[in-house]
Amino acid sequence: MSVTPEQNPLLELSPQDLRAHAAEALTRARARSVALTDAVDDEDLVRQHSKLMSPLVWDLAHIGSQEELWLVRDVGGREPLRPEIDDLYDAFQHARADRPALPLLGPAEARAYVREVRDKAFDVLERTPLEGSRLTESAFAFGMITQHEQQHDETMLATHQLRRGEPVLHAPEPPRPAGGARTGEVLIPGGRFTMGTSAEPWALDNERPAHEVDVPAFVLDTALVTCGAYVEFLESGGYRDRRFWSEGGWAYRTGHEIGAPRFWWRELDGWWRTRFGVREPVPADEPVVHVSFYEAEAYARWAGKRLPTEAEWEKAARHDPATGRSRRFPWGDEEPTAEHANLGQRHLRPAAAGAYPAGASPYGVHQLIGDVWEWTSTDLYGYPGFEAFPYREYSEVFFGPDYKMLRGGSFGTDSAAIRGTFRNWDYPIRRQIFAGFRCARDPRPGEVG
């Protein structure tokens, strides 16, 4: 099977339409950044709500700093606006726990700074030929900065989940599946498929290049693991049974006295949780979220299964067995809509299993995009032929066994920052992120013809 490129509508846009597309993506990202930072008062904006996270005001100014570095200075060739703050907002210079002690821009100054940067970035977008270099071809740099801002918006959303106090964020409830939650398994036949991309204009370096991967047959859950299923693991003593935990997972669980997903607690009438300041019973049909890789791994062993590899996840999400090609998304090549997936902070929670039938893959696997990031068993690595671009610090410096891959995005991920090839990663101990999982297993004798 030869590598077949996905059909990307961005490649067909005229320069004028491409500029309009990039401007709209940047504008949508900024509207979200503003909403997340305007939702709290200045005192909350500068407070560190957890040592795992930066103050919200740091994220806001960091967004502007990266935009200035790449769009205003590099692409536009303009003079620096605030060169004296470059080090303050370099994520590699200062650990998150140390950032509150830095001489950061205050709320009003940070807001003024990002507005000034954006004005200059739009001027650069209007004047720059969208060809002639890898940074400007297909408006790549503008797409990269859009994705960077949306990624920090999701980080800020996670900070909102960690803050204490009354709810300040509000959103409508997600849709409900007709006929109740869906569960089940599907056999994904073995064979080669095209993983990664060489055609997606705004794909980041670790998604490239497209390459063929031979994936043996496997069985995958058609739905994400729900809270109700996870409660069975809890109630059966899964957190106390050493058999289900890896060595690192057991050390982490016992060392931190973890006994349930983050933000959960037990009452006489059942399990409860806190969600963006709202105290509520844990919903049985909703995908479990705020679990670490180690917890997901232990659940899978308890269930007699395992976590999927990254290649298995992507094959289930992208491969079309009817044509042999890889799609951009499970449902096809068109951009996500509200019918396809729970994305973009449209809702402030995962939707019940089976709520997006229009987003299912050809194999019948649901909610591969949106709702919760999905832990896989694969370490972060570069694909064959990987080339760091435009800077090593985006992903290459993280390669190795310390990080586990997450795929698919969450309800807090914007459509500009997710696709079937997008790769996310984090430490296996992370629980504040919007991560859940689904299980896989090897076929049993007789299941493969």
Side-chain angles (χ1 to χ4, degrees):
M1 183 184 72
S2 61
V3 174
T4 54
E6 57 269 31
Q7 306 300 308
N8 194 304
L10 201 62
L11 296 170
E12 306 301 321
L13 295 181
S14 68
Q16 181 179 355
D17 288 342
L18 185 57
R19 285 189 176 87
H21 176 81
E24 187 279 329
L26 287 165
T27 299
R28 188 172 74 247
R30 183 53 45 84
R32 188 177 176 201
S33 301
V34 169
L36 286 163
T37 50
D38 283 358
V40 296
D41 59 26
D42 285 359
E43 185 178 346
D44 246 4
L45 203 61
V46 301
R47 178 182 293 124
Q48 186 173 48
H49 298 279
S50 165
K51 290 188 180 297
L52 294 171
M53 313 301 281
S54 307
L56 290 168
V57 75
W58 185 93
D59 282 290
L60 180 63
H62 169 76
I63 286 167
S65 176
Q66 289 296 107
E67 187 170 331
E68 181 191 348
L69 287 171
W70 287 103
L71 300 187
V72 178
R73 298 187 199 175
D74 198 319
V75 175
R78 310 291 178 87
E79 289 297 316
L81 277 72
R82 299 290 299 268
E84 75 280 5
I85 66 172
D86 288 355
D87 286 347
L88 291 177
Y89 297 103
D90 184 336
F92 287 87
Q93 292 291 327
H94 308 282
R96 287 178 174 179
D98 299 333
R99 290 170 188 170
L102 300 173
L104 304 177
L105 301 182
E109 197 174 8
R111 290 181 173 115
Y113 171 62
V114 297
R115 284 196 299 268
E116 184 180 8
V117 170
R118 177 52 55 87
D119 287 344
K120 294 186 180 298
F122 275 153
D123 187 58
V124 170
L125 176 60
E126 188 63 31
R127 296 171 182 268
T128 300
L130 300 182
E131 58 184 6
S133 77
R134 290 181 66 183
L135 271 180
T136 58
E137 192 74 38
S138 297
F140 173 81
F142 300 91
M144 178 183 72
I145 289 301
T146 294
Q147 292 175 84
H148 175 264
E149 181 161 358
Q150 289 287 8
Q151 289 165 6
H152 274 272
D153 288 342
E154 183 164 357
T155 298
M156 290 196 287
L157 186 64
T159 301
H160 273 273
Q161 170 65 4
L162 288 160
R163 69 176 289 276
R164 296 181 179 180
E166 293 301 308
V168 296
L169 299 177
H170 306 280
E173 294 295 296
R176 307 252 347 138
R182 297 175 182 167
T183 58
E185 295 180 322
V186 64
L187 173 69
I188 311 291
R192 301 178 72 81
F193 88 106
T194 302
M195 187 173 184
T197 180
S198 297
E200 187 79 34
W202 288 3
L204 303 172
D205 60 7
N206 60 52
E207 300 171 66
R208 303 173 181 271
H211 59 289
E212 290 188 5
V213 178
D214 192 6
V215 179
F218 65 101
V219 177
L220 186 68
D221 289 354
T222 57
L224 294 155
V225 171
T226 63
C227 295
Y230 202 85
V231 165
E232 294 181 31
F233 171 61
L234 279 173
E235 301 289 3
S236 72
Y239 273 78
R240 300 187 300 275
D241 195 327
R242 175 69 180 82
R243 293 176 299 163
F244 305 129
W245 298 80
S246 66
E247 182 178 350
W250 186 251
Y252 177 67
R253 192 211 72 71
T254 56
H256 291 79
E257 299 182 345
I258 291 169
R262 184 152 193 182
F263 309 112
W264 285 31
W265 73 92
R266 191 75 163 85
E267 297 281 4
L268 292 176
D269 59 350
W271 288 94
W272 286 66
R273 72 178 182 187
T274 302
R275 182 181 57 82
F276 298 108
V278 176
R279 295 163 62 92
E280 61 186 17
V282 169
D285 61 354
E286 192 174 290
V288 68
V289 66
H290 297 302
V291 290
S292 66
F293 167 84
Y294 290 135
E295 290 165 286
E297 183 184 48
Y299 173 96
R301 287 199 182 113
W302 170 82
K305 299 184 180 183
R306 59 175 173 80
L307 294 180
T309 67
E310 186 184 15
E312 288 173 336
W313 185 96
E314 188 166 325
K315 183 171 185 179
R318 298 187 62 215
H319 183 244
D320 183 352
T323 64
R325 63 182 290 269
S326 290
R327 300 171 166 190
R328 296 181 68 218
F329 297 98
W331 54 85
D333 294 325
E334 65 270 23
E335 294 290 327
T337 70
E339 299 297 315
H340 292 122
N342 181 7
L343 291 167
Q345 204 179 310
R346 186 181 299 115
H347 311 291
L348 287 172
R349 64 196 307 155
Y356 293 91
S361 78
Y363 292 109
V365 184
H366 288 250
Q367 288 161 286
L368 286 155
I369 298 293
D371 287 299
V372 297
W373 288 100
E374 300 186 37
W375 287 110
T376 75
S377 61
T378 303
D379 298 336
L380 172 60
Y381 63 93
Y383 291 152
F386 168 84
E387 179 187 357
F389 177 79
Y391 59 110
R392 292 186 62 247
E393 289 77 13
Y394 175 67
S395 61
E396 187 179 20
V397 296
F398 300 104
F399 287 178
D402 292 341
Y403 297 89
K404 291 296 183 181
M405 300 305 304
L406 296 128
R407 300 300 298 265
S410 77
F411 65 89
T413 307
D414 187 78
S415 59
I418 197 63
R419 50 200 158 263
T421 59
F422 190 88
R423 307 175 78 199
N424 188 15
W425 62 93
D426 214 328
Y427 290 114
I429 64 173
R430 288 291 186 247
R431 293 170 12 116
Q432 84 276 14
I433 59 176
F434 304 115
F437 63 102
R438 74 180 73 228
C439 295
R441 63 176 174 83
D442 296 334
R444 301 186 183 103
E447 285 188 307
V448 179

